[in-house]
Structure formats: structure tokens, C-alpha cells
């Protein structure tokens, strides 16, 4: 087993170790996600009282409102959990124990991100199904919509939220949507690596600041630029290529910054916070 | 004078593995006196080293530098030719650091051994089980439910089970009960093989006096003693003398209720039992104690400094 090259077996050992160490954390996270999605689902269902099983209009509206709201919550939770994939590096004791494990830096880095990515997705989807069942049972016999929405999982909507974006089925738009979402995820992974101790809070703060800054910048540009420049910028054909390139660049830069930061905090005293 | 272990070279065969600390210097702040200043010594397998020093002298920092958790500002810690701060997998697999207050995950002892032991190539389930049994611990007990002393026992058991070549222990007996300390000594004698080197940083010198065969003493960020115990006992004699006894040959003395403990030059050439605590107090007071012990008659007596 002891080879110096990248070892999948060691990655699996790292993943098993991390799961065992943070079993309680993941269980509590799952329960928290389940509780939140149940509350959101129930909240969305109230106010929608179908006249009967044939009242497809109200039923469709209720289903999609539950799904949209739950998806928004799930994406926020997904990003939060991704941003804290290196939270063990935030405290000295935990960092020492993690750093002294005989494994390559790249193995520790890749395992932490992939494990968190996969586990978070699994937790979110499982929690959504459970929350939907809970709502259906709780509202059974009441006037509120008590049907299940989990059959909507069979449709690509949730996957579109997290990854793809069919956008009328155009391949380029699908790739663009995926790239922009991956850019967002990499941004939060990067923030989580730079600031492991307060990862989600820092990441959210920076994200909000970035949105505000972009909004101010865009508003200023729109009001000051010439007609020709505006026409160029609002040409969707050009804009989507610009967005694609910037997303790819941001993904590469973000992953590189995250990796470099992870390498820097390998030393116990070399930390940002 | 420091006497370092020299590598054994016989008939042109390869030397024994060595862990070389070369001019290590480290400071937590940008300015001011470094915590570790130009420390040089070499570890060889098959020895148990006692790392002694006063509070705040840098023993834990030195262990962190040796294990690669800190990068020295000057100098290097080379484990079998590889810098430890590069944190290569092979290097990490040959070093285990048992911290004074280690992180204890929320899992059963047996699970911890199974999951963490998978990373160490020479990890032994049998040794782990033997050590747990000796410490009266059960594998199904959960680490976070144990007392501090019990956690220490569990982690000592794991440290010995890793069978790494370089085992670094920071205050391993701190928190152990009296039977636990005896068990610790027995397990060290039983499971530390000739391929291993152990560095024990401790204030509780009585716990390791019979185990150690090499002493490292730090004072004022520097290493002032790096000497095998047999050399110490060849050069120095440790005695307990009653009140009123002759003290002319005493290099250092320390009062006790019955009289005093005395360090004097060993003129008989026979090895005498080492009193590690007395030796430490003497060498802290007189950093050149070992040098004085090799001087011709007269110098040692002139340096006599009885502690009141």
C-alpha cells in the first residue's frame, strides 16, 4: 500500500477516516437540512388548497413552488457545506492530526473536496425525499396540498439547478450554465480553503460583496457607456462566449488558489486565521 | 561537551537510518530571541532519547520541527535524507508524533486503530491489542467518553502499534496513574524494536529514567547536553550523602531532608546508576558540567556550586 504516487486506496482510507471522525457532524447536518426542507415545504404548501385531485392548476403551482423553494435552499446549503470542506484546518489540534496522516497533499485535498461534494449531494437529496414524505403525511386529510413532489426528481429540474442548464436544449447554453455553477462552487471551495475556520460566513460575506460590487459596476457602466459599447455588451452571442471564458478562467484560478492555500496551511503556524 | 551518536559503519555496508537536526532555528515572531536557536543533533534507531528542559524552553517546538509541522527559518530536519517539512508520504509514514494534548475523535478505540493504522505500513493490530489489554482498555470503549489518562493510554497504545521508525512523544506519562506508568515502561521495553528510535519529551524524569539511553537537555533555546547515559555515568557519580559528610569532591549538590544528593566526578571508572533529575538540575545550573567532568583534577572542585 505504501507508494509515493497518488493512491486511490489511500484516498478511500482518508474518506473512511473522515466519515468516521465526522459522523456526528454529518448526521446533525442531515437532520438540520431535513428540518429546514420540511418547514419550507410545509410553508409553501399552505395557501394552496386544491378543490380536488382534478384541480391540476393549483396542484401544479403548489408542486413547483415547493420544488423551487426547496431547490433554492438546497443550493445555498450545498454551497455552505462545500465551503467548509477544510474546516478541520481551522483549529490547531485538528490540523496537526490531519497533517500528520501519512498521505500526499494532493490525496488529502482531492479526497476532502470529492467526498464533501458527493456526500452533500446525497444528504440533500435524501433529506428532500424525507421532507416531502413528512409533509405529505403531515398534511394528509387537511385542505393543504399533501401530494408528493419527489416524482419531480425524475425530471431533470433538480439536476439542472445543481449542474446542468438545459436552456431550451442548446448544448452551448447547457455547458455555459454548468460552467457558471461550477465557478460558483469553486469560489466557495476557494474561500473555504483560505478561511477554514469561518468558512461559510466568510464565503457568504465575500459573495454578497461581490454581487453588490458587480451590480454597482454594471449600473455605472450601463449609464456611462456609449450606445455602441452597450450594443456590443448586450449582444447575447458575444456575451455568452465572454461568460464561458471567464467561468473557465475563474474555475482554474479558483482551484489553483485553493490548492496553493491548502499547501500553505500545511504548516501548523502558517495560517491566515 | 556533547557526544553525538555516530552512525555505525561496518565493512562498507550502508549506515543505520539517521534523523539529523542541523542548525535548527525557529522563532514564532519576526523579531526577538528565537525559541530554537542553532540546535544540532542526530538520532539513530535503536535508542530512546529523553528530551529535557524547563518550561517554555522549546521542547514541543522542537518536536514539531522534527515532525515537519513547522518549517525552520534556518537549518533543516532531515529524516533519512528527506526534509520533514516537505511532508512526503514516506516521511510521514516513518514518523509518529504523540502530542501532549492530542485530538481525540469521537469513535471507538478499536475503530480508531483500524482506520488510522491503515496509513502506517508497519502498523500491528496484535501490538495494539496487547497494549490496550495491558492498560485495561477495551476496543469498544469510545475515546471521547474516556478520562484524560485513559485517552493518553489509548493513544500510547496506538503510537507503539504504528511501529514507526521515529516515534516522538510529548509528555506521554502526564496524566497516567501509577500503575499506568509502570505498564508504560513495560510496553516500551516490549514493543520498541531495535529499528525504532523514540524521543520522549517529559518533566517526569522518574518515569523514563530506566528506559532512556540518551539524554538531550535544552536550555535557553539551545541544546546543552547531547550524551548517551553510559557516558554520563562513566564521567559522573550520583550519590546521596548524609549531613556532615565530606563535600570536597562534589560538583553539584542538592539538599534533601536526610542530607543531600551529590554529583561528583566518577574517578573509579565504573558506571553508577543515573539520577536523571539530579543530573538535569546540575546541568541546568552548570551547563558545562560534562566538560568539567573530563577536566584534570581541580577544575571540577573549583566549579562546585551547592544549591541552597
Amino acid at each position: 500500500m505504501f507508494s509515493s504516487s497518488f493512491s486511490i486506496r489511500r484516498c478511500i482510507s482518508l474518506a473512511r477516516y473522515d466519515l468516521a471522525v465526522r459522523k456526528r457532524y454529518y448526521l446533525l447536518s442531515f437532520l438540520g437540512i431535513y428540518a429546514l426542507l420540511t418547514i419550507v415545504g410545509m410553508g409553501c404548501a399552505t395557501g394552496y388548497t386544491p378543490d380536488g385531485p382534478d384541480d391540476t392548476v393549483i396542484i401544479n403551482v403548489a408542486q413547483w413552488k415547493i420544488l423551487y423553494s426547496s431547490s433554492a435552499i438546497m443550493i445555498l446549503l450545498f454551497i455552505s457545506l462545500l465551503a467548509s470542506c477544510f474546516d478541520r484546518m481551522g483549529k490547531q489540534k485538528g490540523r496537526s492530526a490531519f497533517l500528520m496522516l501519512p498521505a500526499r497533499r494532493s490525496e488529502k485535498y482531492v479526497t476532502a473536496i470529492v467526498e464533501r461534494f458527493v456526500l452533500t449531494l446525497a444528504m440533500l437529496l435524501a433529506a428532500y425525499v424525507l421532507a416531502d414524505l413528512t409533509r405529505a403525511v403531515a398534511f394528509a386529510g387537511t385542505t393543504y396540498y399533501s401530494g408528493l413532489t419527489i416524482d419531480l426528481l425524475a425530471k431533470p429540474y433538480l439536476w439542472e439547478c445543481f449542474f446542468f442548464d438545459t436552456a431550451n436544449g442548446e448544448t452551448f447554453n447547457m455547458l455555459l450554465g454548468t460552467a457558471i455553477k461550477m465557478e460558483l462552487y469553486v469560489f466557495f471551495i476557494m474561500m473555504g480553503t483560505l478561511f477554514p475556520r469561518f468558512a461559510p460566513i466568510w464565503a457568504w460575506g465575500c459573495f454578497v460583496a461581490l454581487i453588490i460590487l458587480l451590480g454597482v459596476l454594471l449600473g455605472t457602466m450601463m449609464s456611462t457607456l456609449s450606445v455602441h459599447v452597450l450594443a456590443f455588451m448586450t449582444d447575447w452571442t458575444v456575451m455568452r462566449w465572454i461568460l464561458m471564458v471567464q467561468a473557465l478562467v475563474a474555475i482554474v484560478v479558483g482551484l489553483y488558489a485553493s490548492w496553493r492555500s491548502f499547501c500553505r496551511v500545511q504548516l501548523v503556524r502558517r495560517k491566515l486565521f | 561537551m556533547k557526544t553525538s551518536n555516530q552512525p555505525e559503519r561496518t565493512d562498507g555496508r550502508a549506515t543505520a537510518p539517521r534523523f539529523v537536526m542541523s542548525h535548527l532555528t525557529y522563532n514564532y515572531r519576526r523579531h526577538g530571541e528565537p525559541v530554537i536557536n542553532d540546535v544540532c543533533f542526530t538520532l539513530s534507531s535503536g535508542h530512546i532519547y529523553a528530551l529535557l528542559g524547563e518550561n517554555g524552553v522549546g521542547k514541543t517546538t522542537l518536536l514539531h520541527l522534527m515532525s515537519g509541522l513547522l518549517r525552520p527559518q534556518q537549518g533543516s530536519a532531515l529524516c533519512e535524507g528527506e526534509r520533514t517539512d516537505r511532508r512526503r508520504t514516506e516521511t510521514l509514514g516513518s514518523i509518529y508524533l504523540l502530542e501532549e494534548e492530542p485530538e481525540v475523535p469521537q469513535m471507538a478505540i478499536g475503530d480508531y486503530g483500524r482506520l488510522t493504522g491503515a496509513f502506517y505500513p508497519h502498523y500491528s493490530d496484535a501490538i495494539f491489542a496487547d497494549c490496550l489489554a495491558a492498560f485495561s482498555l477495551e476496543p469498544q470503549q469510545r475515546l471521547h467518553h474516556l478520562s484524560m489518562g485513559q485517552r493518553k493510554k489509548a493513544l500510547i497504545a496506538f503510537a507503539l502499534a504504528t511501529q514507526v521508525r521515529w516515534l516522538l512523544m510529548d509528555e506521554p506519562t502526564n496524566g497516567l496513574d501509577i500503575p499506568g506508568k509502570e505498564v508504560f515502561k513495560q510496553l516500551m521495553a516490549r514493543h520498541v524494536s531495535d529499528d525504532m528510535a523514540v524521543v520522549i519529551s517529559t518533566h517526569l524524569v522518574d518515569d523514563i529514567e530506566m528506559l532512556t539511553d540518551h539524554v538531550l537537555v535544552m536550555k535557553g533555546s539551545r541544546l546543552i547536553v547531547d550524551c548517551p547515559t553510559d557516558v554520563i555515568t562513566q564521567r559522573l557519580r550520583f550519590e546521596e550523602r548524609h549531613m556532615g559528610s565530606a563535600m570536597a569532591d562534589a560538583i553539584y549538590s542538592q539538599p534533601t531532608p536526610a542530607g543531600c544528593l551529590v554529583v561528583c566526578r566518577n574517578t573509579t571508572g565504573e558506571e553508577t546508576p543515573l539520577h536523571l533529575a539530579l543530573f538535569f538540575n546540575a546541568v541546568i545550573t552548570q551547563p558545562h558540567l560534562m566538560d568539567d567532568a573530563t577536566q584534570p583534577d581541580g577544575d571540577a572542585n573549583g566549579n562546585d556550586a551547592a544549591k541552597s
Side-chain angles (χ1 to χ4, degrees):
Chain A
M1 160 153 179
F2 218 73
S3 65
S4 56
S5 50
F6 192 94
S7 166
I8 299 292
R9 276 184 74 180
R10 252 197 311 265
C11 289
I12 294 171
S13 295
L14 282 167
R16 289 177 65 199
Y17 177 79
D18 184 67
L19 278 171
V21 168
R22 301 218 265 188
K23 209 165 32 181
R24 198 173 176 190
Y25 167 80
Y26 288 131
L27 182 64
L28 290 174
S29 298
F30 175 75
L31 290 174
I33 295 167
Y34 160 69
L36 194 57
L37 290 176
T38 305
I39 292 167
V40 165
M42 285 183 168
C44 291
T46 55
Y48 293 97
T49 55
D51 292 330
D54 301 325
D55 190 356
T56 54
V57 172
I58 296 295
I59 288 171
N60 279 341
V61 169
Q63 282 186 330
W64 286 105
K65 185 170 182 184
I66 293 167
L67 190 57
Y68 289 155
S69 305
S70 300
S71 301
I73 297 287
M74 284 198 286
I75 289 176
L76 296 178
L77 291 172
F78 182 63
I79 288 168
S80 257
L81 286 167
L82 264 188
S84 46
C85 61
F86 293 114
D87 57 354
R88 288 190 74 194
M89 304 287 278
K91 294 176 186 173
Q92 183 155 336
K93 271 191 201 174
R95 184 176 359 194
S96 298
F98 180 65
L99 294 179
M100 286 305 294
L101 279 178
R104 288 174 67 100
R105 257 179 265 178
S106 53
E107 290 166 357
K108 292 176 183 174
Y109 180 76
V110 168
T111 303
I113 292 177
V114 170
E115 183 207 348
R116 184 55 68 94
F117 207 86
V118 171
L119 202 62
T120 307
L121 269 182
M123 277 199 301
L124 288 170
L125 293 173
Y128 178 82
V129 170
L130 205 59
D132 209 44
L133 287 170
T134 307
R135 182 190 50 75
V137 167
F139 281 4
T142 69
T143 56
Y144 301 127
Y145 175 67
S146 61
L148 293 175
T149 63
I150 52 176
D151 57 327
L152 293 174
L153 287 176
K155 299 183 182 177
Y157 181 75
L158 267 178
W159 305 107
E160 290 179 21
C161 274
F162 282 103
F163 299 110
F164 311 115
D165 190 344
T166 53
N168 302 322
E170 287 188 35
T171 307
F172 188 88
N173 287 341
M174 183 177 76
L175 290 173
L176 179 60
T178 306
I180 290 173
K181 289 185 179 80
M182 291 307 296
E183 176 187 1
L184 191 67
Y185 300 151
V186 167
F187 172 78
F188 280 96
I189 290 171
M190 182 186 72
M191 297 306 292
T193 321
L194 286 170
F195 311 108
R197 197 155 191 182
F198 307 106
I201 301 168
W202 275 103
W204 281 113
C206 289
F207 183 61
V208 168
L210 197 68
I211 295 293
I212 295 170
L213 187 67
L214 277 174
V216 167
L217 204 64
L218 209 61
T220 312
M221 284 166 66
M222 296 292 272
S223 63
T224 56
L225 291 174
S226 71
V227 173
H228 298 293
V229 174
L230 274 176
F232 170 79
M233 287 182 64
T234 51
D235 180 351
W236 175 240
T237 309
V238 174
M239 280 306 296
R240 64 181 192 169
W241 276 106
I242 293 173
L243 285 172
M244 177 64 98
V245 168
Q246 74 81 27
L248 292 174
V249 169
I251 288 168
V252 170
V253 169
L255 282 174
Y256 180 74
S258 170
W259 166 245
R260 291 302 302 167
S261 175
F262 180 75
C263 291
R264 274 175 57 83
V265 295
Q266 288 291 304
L267 304 169
V268 174
R269 292 290 299 186
R270 188 81 64 83
K271 58 182 180 183
L272 292 172
F273 290 92
Chain B
M1 182 170 72
K2 294 184 286 183
T3 306
S4 300
N5 275 341
Q6 297 299 316
E8 297 169 5
R9 184 183 286 278
T10 311
D11 298 330
R13 283 181 293 172
T15 58
R18 298 200 304 163
F19 200 151
V20 181
M21 266 51 69
S22 175
H23 303 286
L24 281 178
T25 300
Y26 186 79
N27 196 348
Y28 284 104
R29 299 182 185 85
R30 289 180 189 275
H31 307 289
E33 200 62 32
V35 175
I36 301 289
N37 194 359
D38 194 31
V39 167
C40 301
F41 63 96
T42 302
L43 305 179
S44 295
S45 53
H47 297 279
I48 296 178
Y49 298 80
L51 177 60
L52 310 176
E54 295 167 310
N55 295 124
V57 79
K59 299 187 295 299
T60 301
T61 304
L62 182 60
L63 291 178
H64 282 167
L65 285 165
M66 290 169 65
S67 59
L69 287 172
L70 291 174
R71 177 172 293 159
Q73 276 108 5
Q74 289 177 39
S76 61
L78 293 175
C79 177
E80 299 174 45
E82 201 62 58
R83 285 185 68 117
T84 54
D85 55 355
R86 289 218 178 113
R87 315 190 58 71
R88 293 201 188 277
T89 318
E90 298 90 340
T91 309
L92 291 175
S94 66
I95 299 175
Y96 185 82
L97 172 64
L98 177 62
E99 302 247 36
E100 184 177 1
E101 294 179 10
E103 187 203 42
V104 171
Q106 293 185 9
M107 61 171 76
I109 300 174
D111 291 340
Y112 179 80
R114 184 175 44 84
L115 290 168
T116 318
F119 294 97
Y120 295 92
H122 304 296
Y123 172 76
S124 167
D125 275 325
I127 293 177
F128 191 47
D130 179 54
C131 294
L132 288 179
F135 279 129
S136 305
L137 292 172
E138 300 288 337
Q140 55 269 26
Q141 285 179 282
R142 303 194 74 81
L143 279 164
H144 55 292
H145 290 165
L146 301 176
S147 68
M148 188 194 90
Q150 287 176 310
R151 290 179 194 179
K152 255 307 176 43
K153 288 177 182 177
L155 292 172
I156 287 170
F158 180 77
L160 289 170
T162 57
Q163 292 289 290
V164 291
R165 178 162 278 145
W166 313 103
L167 180 55
L168 312 177
M169 295 178 151
D170 195 356
E171 300 285 356
T173 58
N174 187 17
L176 293 190
D177 50 27
I178 297 168
K181 292 182 183 186
E182 287 306 312
V183 171
F184 171 75
K185 292 179 203 173
Q186 290 165 17
L187 292 174
M188 289 288 287
R190 198 187 309 166
H191 294 302
V192 173
S193 67
D194 290 339
D195 294 332
M196 292 172 66
V198 184
V199 178
I200 302 175
S201 166
T202 186
H203 295 294
L204 305 170
V205 292
D206 293 340
D207 298 339
I208 60 162
E209 202 167 56
M210 302 304 293
L211 289 172
T212 186
D213 59 0
H214 197 109
V215 177
L216 303 164
V217 178
M218 289 189 67
K219 180 176 178 177
S221 76
R222 292 183 183 269
L223 197 67
I224 58 171
V225 173
D226 173 11
C227 195
T229 52
D230 54 356
V231 172
I232 296 172
T233 52
Q234 279 170 10
R235 293 184 190 177
L236 298 172
R237 209 166 67 241
F238 303 89
E239 295 175 347
E240 185 169 7
R241 294 181 183 175
H242 299 293
M243 290 284 196
S245 303
M247 299 288 285
D249 60 341
I251 302 173
Y252 171 83
S253 66
Q254 183 176 299
T256 65
C260 59
L261 293 169
V262 164
V263 181
C264 51
R265 291 172 64 197
N266 188 352
T267 53
T268 64
E270 292 173 7
E271 285 187 22
T272 58
L274 172 64
H275 195 297
L276 201 50
L278 181 61
F279 172 73
F280 175 76
N281 288 334
V283 86
I284 285 294
T285 311
Q286 299 181 43
H288 300 289
L289 179 72
M290 291 296 290
D291 296 333
D292 295 340
T294 59
Q295 292 298 319
D297 288 335
D299 287 335
N301 295 337
N303 285 332
D304 182 13
K307 283 185 73 170
S308 56

